[in-house]
Amino acid sequence: MILDILFPNRCLGCNRIIDADFLVCEICFEQIDFTHFDYFGDNFIKEKCKLLFPVEQASGLMQFKKENLSRKIIHELKYKNREKAGKVLAQWTSERLNFKDRKPDLLVSVPLHSRKQKERGYNQLHLFTEKLSEFYGIPFDHNLIKRNYYSKAQALKDKKHRLETENTFSITKAITGKHILLVDDVFTTGNTVATIAWEILKAGNNTVSVLVMAIDI
C-alpha cells in the first residue's frame, strides 16, 4: 500500500495515475491498435503462416507499429519487468477471441533459453498463457518445447540472423493427435513460430494454430 502511494501505477500512454491492475487509462485505451482479426477467417497472420507451414488458424491481438502504444506495452512486458502486463493482455484477448466449439487441446508458449529466462527473471509469455488457460479452460504446457541455444533478443538481431533458426527448438516429450495453439509475443518474419510448428507437426498427427500478442506490420 505504501509503495502504491510512493510509486503509483501510471498510464503507459499519458502518465496519468491509474489503478494498479491497469496498463493504460480509458482515453489511451482507445489509441491501442487492435487487429480485430477473425480467428476462423482469413487474415494477415494466417496468410503469412500459410507460406511457412500448414497452419490451422491464426490471430493476433494488436498491431506492432513504430512508436505506437502497442509496441510500448510489449516492450514494458519484455524488458521493463512488467510481467503482470501479460495478465491484462490475456484479458483483452479473451474479450475478442471466441473459439466457439473448436477450442485447441493445448496452449504452448515459445520458450526462452534457461539462461535468458534467469537473466530476465520470467518468461513474458507464461502469465499470458496461464491466464488464457483459465479463461478458456484449456491446459497449458510450458515444458513441451525446449530452446536449445542461447541467443540475443530477436529485436536486436538483423533480418539475416532472424532467419537462422534451424535446430533452435526441440520437442521434449511424445505428443500426437493434438491441436496445439502456439503462443508468442510479436510476429515479425514468422520464422520462430514456423520452426516450432514443424517440430510439433513432425512429432505426430498434430495440428498447429498461432496466437500472438502483436503483429509487426
Side-chain angles (χ1 to χ4, degrees), residues 61-74:
L61 178 64
M62 305 178 294
Q63 296 182 39
F64 192 76
K65 297 178 180 178
K66 185 177 181 179
E67 304 303 327
N68 75 348
L69 189 51
S70 302
R71 178 181 287 265
K72 187 170 185 178
I73 290 170
I74 298 295

Side-chain angles (χ1 to χ4, degrees), residues 170-186:
S170 58
I171 297 285
T172 64
K173 63 190 77 171
I175 185 167
T176 185
K178 299 295 184 181
H179 177 192
I180 295 174
L181 182 64
L182 185 57
V183 180
D184 201 2
D185 46 27
V186 180

Side-chain angles (χ1 to χ4, degrees), residues 64 71 74-75 78-79 110-112 116 120 124-125 147 149-166 168-169 184-196 216:
F64 192 76
R71 178 181 287 265
I74 298 295
H75 279 206
K78 294 181 68 173
Y79 308 119
V110 173
L112 294 176
K116 177 66 70 61
R120 185 171 295 173
Q124 71 274 10
L125 294 170
R147 186 183 287 266
Y149 307 111
Y150 175 85
S151 63
K152 61 185 178 180
Q154 283 287 92
L156 301 179
K157 296 180 182 180
D158 58 31
K159 187 172 182 180
K160 176 183 177 182
H161 287 96
R162 289 182 197 173
L163 297 175
E164 296 172 354
T165 56
E166 186 177 0
T168 302
F169 302 97
D184 201 2
D185 46 27
V186 180
F187 185 97
T188 49
T189 63
N191 286 284
T192 296
V193 294
T195 302
I196 297 174
D216 190 351

Side-chain angles (χ1 to χ4, degrees), residues 107-123:
L107 305 179
V108 174
S109 54
V110 173
L112 294 176
H113 188 272
S114 56
R115 177 181 165 188
K116 177 66 70 61
Q117 187 162 328
K118 185 175 182 179
E119 290 173 354
R120 185 171 295 173
Y122 61 95
N123 181 316

